[in-house]
Amino acid sequence: MGTPFLKVYEAFLAKITADEWTVEEEIAIVERDWQQLLDMAIFRFKYPRVSLEKEYYDPNPDDDIDKTFCWGFKEELSQDEIQLLALYMKHEWVKRCVASWENIRQLYADADFSQANHLDKLIKLESSVADEIHKAEGIYDRSRGKKPADKFKKLAGKNIQ
């Protein structure tokens, strides 16, 4: 067994402060939503060093407990891959927030609330997350185990033997 999806979900939840899933009573619905965000993140991951193929695993087949979080990746993901997937999930989630801002504005019927200002802040947040992803992709693409990849050492004039 590789890396459970739950590790990626935890990294994603650490990056946001959303309470949208706390109102949902059925954990299977919440997990399905996270799975959709993860699927979009997997689609966006350009050149992973490991397979992002999914597999179902059952840690205790004899138990009748909830098997909701029994999906994972076939291979072990590094912390770099987990964090990059979590960033992609965050970006997809923020884009969803921007797209559904009309639903949010009804919560703020207050005269002091500026819909245009709120939407502008959401759009700036989306842009900021996109920049964060771009930087994280660059770090992931150019390093191996927190050290520069060999081909980038050569660009810097280092002799590789």
Side-chain angles (χ1 to χ4, degrees), residues 5-156:
F5 288 167
L6 191 55
K7 282 190 174 184
V8 179
Y9 298 158
E10 288 169 349
F12 162 65
L13 292 172
K15 295 180 181 311
I16 64 171
T17 57
D19 294 328
E20 74 179 80
W21 295 289
T22 58
V23 296
E24 190 59 56
E25 293 178 15
E26 184 66 39
I27 191 69
I29 294 171
V30 171
E31 202 246 349
R32 207 169 23 252
D33 193 27
W34 293 343
Q35 179 62 53
Q36 289 174 345
L37 291 170
L38 181 59
D39 286 343
M40 289 184 266
I42 291 169
F43 173 76
R44 291 183 59 191
F45 206 128
K46 293 177 189 162
Y47 305 110
R49 294 185 200 121
V50 296
S51 169
L52 298 179
E53 192 175 345
K54 306 172 193 177
E55 74 175 346
Y56 181 81
Y57 67 97
D58 195 345
N60 297 315
D62 299 331
D63 288 350
D64 289 335
I65 60 169
D66 184 18
K67 308 286 186 186
T68 305
F69 294 108
C70 294
W71 280 91
F73 296 99
K74 282 189 173 182
E75 294 188 38
E76 192 67 34
L77 272 59
S78 71
Q79 196 55 234
D80 294 343
E81 282 112 11
I82 291 171
Q83 292 303 318
L84 196 49
L85 283 169
L87 272 174
Y88 286 133
M89 288 176 71
K90 177 182 177 180
H91 191 232
E92 292 299 332
W93 175 77
V94 169
K95 289 189 325 187
R96 183 191 323 176
C97 290
V98 171
S100 66
W101 78 274
E102 289 224 58
N103 298 333
I104 296 170
R105 78 178 171 139
Q106 294 169 354
L107 298 172
Y108 301 99
D110 193 304
D112 294 344
F113 177 69
S114 165
Q115 295 170 11
N117 185 35
H118 182 68
L119 181 59
D120 183 56
K121 286 181 181 178
L122 285 174
I123 291 170
K124 285 179 180 173
L125 175 63
E126 188 274 330
S127 178
S128 171
V129 174
D131 289 344
E132 186 179 4
I133 286 172
H134 183 71
K135 289 175 186 172
E137 286 173 337
I139 292 168
Y140 180 79
D141 290 342
R142 292 177 181 87
S143 67
R144 302 290 184 273
K146 302 292 183 214
K147 294 180 182 168
D150 288 342
K151 64 181 176 181
F152 292 102
K153 286 181 184 176
K154 290 177 186 175
L155 292 174

